[in-house]
Amino acid sequence: MKIYPMSTNIICSNLLNNSKDQIIRLGNCKKGWSGIVSNLTFIEGLNIDWYEFEERLLEMGFIENAEVKILYEGLIKHDPIAVLVNETIVAIRRSDALTIIVRPL
Amino acid sequence: MLSIPKIALVGCPNCGKSTLFNVLTSNHQETANYPGVTVDSKIGSLITPQGKTVNLLDLPGTYSLNGHSPDEIITRDNILGLFDNEIAPVALICVADATNMRMIFRLILELQAINRPLILAINMTDIAKRHGYNIDINRLSIELGIPVIPIIAVRKVGITSLLTEIDRLIESNLTNTFDRIIWEKPTNQEIRNSYKKATYIFNTCIFSSNDKYLTMQIDRILLHPVFGIVILLGSFFFIFQAVFTWSALLINGIKTIFNLIITQIQCMMLDCLLRSLIIDGLIAGVGNVVVFLPQILILFLFIILLEDTGYMARVAFILDRLMGSVGLNGRSFIPLLSSFACTIPGMLATRTIKNQKDRLTTILIAPLMTCSARIPVYTMIISTFVPQKNFIGIFSLQGLIMFALYAIGIIFALIVALIMKRLIWHQTSEPFLMEMPNYKCPQFKKIALSLWYRATIFLLHIGKTILVTMILIWFLSSFPSAPQNATEPSINYSIIGMIGHLIHPIFAPIGFSWQITVALIFGIVAREVVIGALGTIYALDITSKNIDTTLQSILATYWSLPTAFALLAWYVFAPQCISTIAMIKHETHSLRWPIFLFIYTFVLAYMAAFLTFHITTLIIK
């Protein structure tokens, strides 16, 4: 599994300037974005043991190569988001979805 | 083998396990079926085509055996036979939602590792077909190496094949019943590997157009950033209105019946002690409570509807930010909503919350949601003391006050949560991760069964607790009888009068009379009793002809406006009923939290009543 170096400031994804080596995090993507999960990574500030959170993400279907699409978002700060993961719709907060590294289709 | 074989139903949440359970066991079930998701195991029995009796266990939905939350732990421990007095089920029936198969394959692979015979029942095959799914049942059975039966639980399709399969299973597998189950928690890498296998099976056996058309169309409106919130508020307002307006007709009907009984008895019996017991103690007391059954049932109806249609998960989604600001997450809202009906199912629903502190906080604030047992007290006081005027032409003043009482409860619940989570535990909320199920048409029979069950519980509760309490109150307030040369009403000389006068000084500063004080003590047994108790205590000398108007006119003459409002304020926080306290003890496995809850609600209630009493007194001067 590739592990990307982490900075305390989560990189704001720039969807227009989407070069290959830029990391896109699902939590930064706009409504309607669709793509594929590359991997799951640890970030600071999760109020849960990372291993357990990864386990729960996996159980909900966030696994490498799963197809994801952001279907809906909340009113305040576009948070949380409802993501179509393969055939399942999963609600997740943007801050938690920063752990999910994705790439466009 | 002598003992009855036990088979368990397992599956992801929202796959229709409970529906299948109801169909298979028809009416032979034992435990509670509270609205909302199954959070406890239920057991029922069925008879197979070959005439064998089988016990069937319905378990809370889970995605794995990892046990992230209390309800998932219940499922795991049942399957693995980790409970002390329970043997593990001899076989498992895995229930899958045909429109959402990928996750169940992973669960099946995990269940196969524990070496128990397994049947896969694919539910909702009709919906799947309509959505363009095509499942190769034979291939699936070969790939998984287990029997696969397509069913439609709602319409009882495929049930016979499932029962036949159960028969076959019991015959062939009775030998290895006593094997120890060996289970090891899979690592995340193993989860990934089993996903690969699951995806392979999925791709070879299921042909889908990946069409969630209907659910997505509905969600486009219901989860719209603006319309979603408008619809959410609108539906809550509608529910609130329905609880109070739809019930009016039924309530009047119940009142008429009770008044009829009272007049009949008055005609038949001579005025004596026994008549006083029957009329004042039993009929008036029980009548005062039964009157509220319609409101409680209407509220439960809506909560079941929210849950069964799949909208509840959307409510959690929309409100997640709000809950997040006080350190909880959207999931906590579901138990809180149930608590408006009754705190007990609310507490049970907290078992789906994964973070322990989140769960504890939710348990501790759930009693601040105005439960239906408080409705009688609110209605009685408001209808007596608040004039039937309109406010700005549209809203009734009485309705607005009622709404305000609910709102105060909610606001304080959020404040308490904020203090507990953010200031005491310094915790942000746990991650919000929740599947949004497909929308489903609610089933009339399941709802009717659930409501019927609630109604019987309510009436039985009255039968046991309230009836006994009412008789006790009547007895304590009638004996010892007043001396010959008594100048005051006889109740002042009774045991209840003595207790009331003894404790009264504590409650005098908040404007409560000694009669109210006594009623509050009985209110701890069950809140519904308070109105009945007040009725009995005040009405002992007057023969009640009409339960409600008499008590209302008595209250109007005995109580001042500040006292009435102080009691309303008290009841927003009111120290909890015995059942709630017992439930908290049961769910937290400690005495500390129920005691904490009792003290903090008492302090809040006392302060609120104190302020209300003195501010109202100042205003009307």
Side-chain angles (χ1 to χ4, degrees), chain B residues 58-99:
Chain B
D58 185 19
L59 297 170
T62 186
Y63 298 100
S64 70
L65 292 181
N66 289 327
H68 293 296
S69 56
D71 61 327
E72 291 181 4
I73 290 171
I74 291 171
T75 303
R76 181 190 65 199
D77 292 357
N78 264 303
I79 293 174
L80 300 179
L82 295 178
F83 282 117
D84 285 345
N85 311 316
E86 297 278 328
I87 50 158
V90 292
L92 305 170
I93 300 174
C94 201
V95 189
D97 174 353
T99 62

Side-chain angles (χ1 to χ4, degrees), chain B residues 224-239:
Chain B
H224 186 276
V226 182
F227 298 144
I229 290 179
V230 174
I231 293 168
L232 180 83
L233 290 177
S235 40
F236 284 170
F237 187 73
F238 176 78
I239 293 172

Side-chain angles (χ1 to χ4, degrees), chain B residues 342-344 367 371 373-374 461 522-528 574-584 597-598 601:
Chain B
C342 175
T343 323
I344 308 295
C371 71
R374 274 177 261 189
H461 180 62
F522 285 106
I524 291 175
V525 176
R527 289 185 176 120
E528 299 95 322
Q576 306 311 314
C577 65
I578 293 273
S579 330
T580 304
I581 289 168
M583 195 67 195
I584 295 177
L597 176 93
F598 188 84
T601 49

Side-chain angles (χ1 to χ4, degrees), chain A residues 33-47:
Chain A
W33 191 90
S34 64
I36 290 172
V37 175
S38 293
N39 60 328
L40 309 173
T41 58
F42 168 80
I43 56 166
E44 294 290 334
L46 282 175
N47 178 27

Side-chain angles (χ1 to χ4, degrees), chain A:
Chain A
M1 192 176 77
K2 282 180 286 182
I3 294 178
Y4 293 93
M6 278 298 309
S7 59
T8 38
N9 285 330
I10 303 296
I11 310 126
C12 272
S13 87
N14 186 343
L15 292 176
L16 298 171
N17 180 20
N18 186 6
S19 60
K20 279 235 162 153
D21 45 325
Q22 176 127 32
I23 302 166
I24 308 172
R25 293 170 187 276
L26 187 63
N28 288 330
C29 294
K30 285 182 179 161
K31 184 174 154 184
W33 191 90
S34 64
I36 290 172
V37 175
S38 293
N39 60 328
L40 309 173
T41 58
F42 168 80
I43 56 166
E44 294 290 334
L46 282 175
N47 178 27
I48 185 173
D49 173 56
W50 164 243
Y51 193 80
E52 197 195 334
F53 188 56
E54 185 184 34
E55 193 177 280
R56 282 179 56 192
L57 286 173
L58 289 171
E59 280 175 16
M60 298 308 285
F62 288 106
I63 184 169
E64 287 75 8
N65 297 322
E67 279 182 42
V68 288
K69 182 182 184 188
I70 301 182
L71 294 178
Y72 318 100
E73 54 189 17
L75 176 66
I76 305 160
K77 293 184 181 169
H78 308 285
D79 198 29
I81 47 175
V83 186
L84 183 67
V85 192
N86 290 320
E87 300 81 28
T88 317
I89 306 174
V90 179
I92 185 171
R93 283 191 187 146
R94 284 189 177 275
S95 58
D96 298 328
L98 291 174
T99 58
I100 303 166
I101 311 288
V102 286
R103 59 175 191 271
L105 270 169

Side-chain angles (χ1 to χ4, degrees), chain B residues 366-394:
Chain B
L368 292 184
M369 303 292 124
T370 302
C371 71
S372 50
R374 274 177 261 189
I375 295 175
V377 185
Y378 285 179
T379 322
M380 177 67 70
I381 298 176
I382 289 176
S383 61
T384 312
F385 290 92
V386 180
Q388 263 184 323
K389 265 194 251 167
N390 272 356
F391 189 71
I392 338 175
I394 352 166

Side-chain angles (χ1 to χ4, degrees), chain B residues 401-422:
Chain B
I401 298 225
M402 194 74 161
F403 190 78
L405 293 172
Y406 274 78
I408 295 168
I410 297 168
I411 291 165
F412 270 87
L414 295 179
I415 294 173
V416 172
L418 186 75
I419 293 171
M420 304 276 301
K421 281 282 289 179
R422 285 285 176 84

Side-chain angles (χ1 to χ4, degrees), chain B residues 99-290:
Chain B
T99 62
N100 203 352
M101 295 284 290
R102 198 184 299 253
M103 289 181 178
I104 201 78
F105 289 150
R106 221 196 47 69
L107 181 63
I108 290 173
L109 293 173
E110 205 175 331
L111 290 173
Q112 282 183 322
I114 63 166
N115 254 330
R116 272 284 183 270
L118 197 62
I119 303 174
L120 172 62
I122 303 180
N123 194 13
M124 298 183 258
T125 41
D126 52 337
I127 301 173
K129 200 166 275 177
R130 231 180 295 142
H131 283 217
Y133 283 90
N134 196 352
I135 303 167
D136 186 343
I137 302 285
N138 290 329
R139 181 76 194 269
L140 196 56
S141 181
I142 295 165
E143 289 290 347
L144 292 169
I146 57 170
V148 180
I149 318 266
I151 60 164
I152 308 166
V154 186
R155 290 199 269 124
K156 299 186 186 176
V157 175
I159 301 301
T160 325
S161 335
L162 184 61
L163 286 171
T164 316
E165 203 55 55
I166 293 174
D167 253 338
R168 205 172 300 157
L169 205 80
I170 296 170
E171 267 177 22
S172 58
N173 283 297
L174 279 182
T175 40
N176 62 359
T177 315
F178 295 102
D179 281 4
R180 282 272 313 277
I181 292 178
I182 301 151
W183 175 78
E184 259 178 70
K185 189 171 156 40
T187 63
N188 286 358
Q189 194 49 50
E190 280 167 339
I191 294 178
R192 285 188 165 90
N193 292 341
S194 77
Y195 251 113
K196 272 182 203 141
K197 211 169 159 191
T199 307
Y200 166 75
I201 298 171
F202 186 90
N203 290 339
T204 45
C205 303
I206 293 171
F207 310 96
S208 73
S209 58
N210 197 1
D211 184 12
K212 284 202 157 218
Y213 189 72
L214 184 67
T215 291
M216 286 189 190
Q217 285 294 313
I218 300 173
D219 271 342
R220 192 167 292 173
I221 303 162
L222 293 186
L223 290 185
H224 186 276
V226 182
F227 298 144
I229 290 179
V230 174
I231 293 168
L232 180 83
L233 290 177
S235 40
F236 284 170
F237 187 73
F238 176 78
I239 293 172
F240 193 76
Q241 285 287 311
V243 166
F244 291 102
T245 50
W246 294 5
S247 57
L249 204 75
L250 290 165
I251 289 174
N252 284 333
I254 295 173
K255 276 185 193 165
T256 321
I257 293 169
F258 271 90
N259 288 335
L260 216 72
I261 298 171
I262 289 177
T263 33
Q264 281 299 316
I265 294 174
Q266 277 171 339
C267 293
M268 280 168 9
M269 288 177 72
L270 291 169
D271 193 358
C272 64
L273 209 63
L274 188 65
R275 189 177 99 162
S276 160
L277 169 68
I278 291 175
I279 291 177
D280 299 324
L282 295 186
I283 299 172
V286 172
N288 272 329
V289 181
V290 174

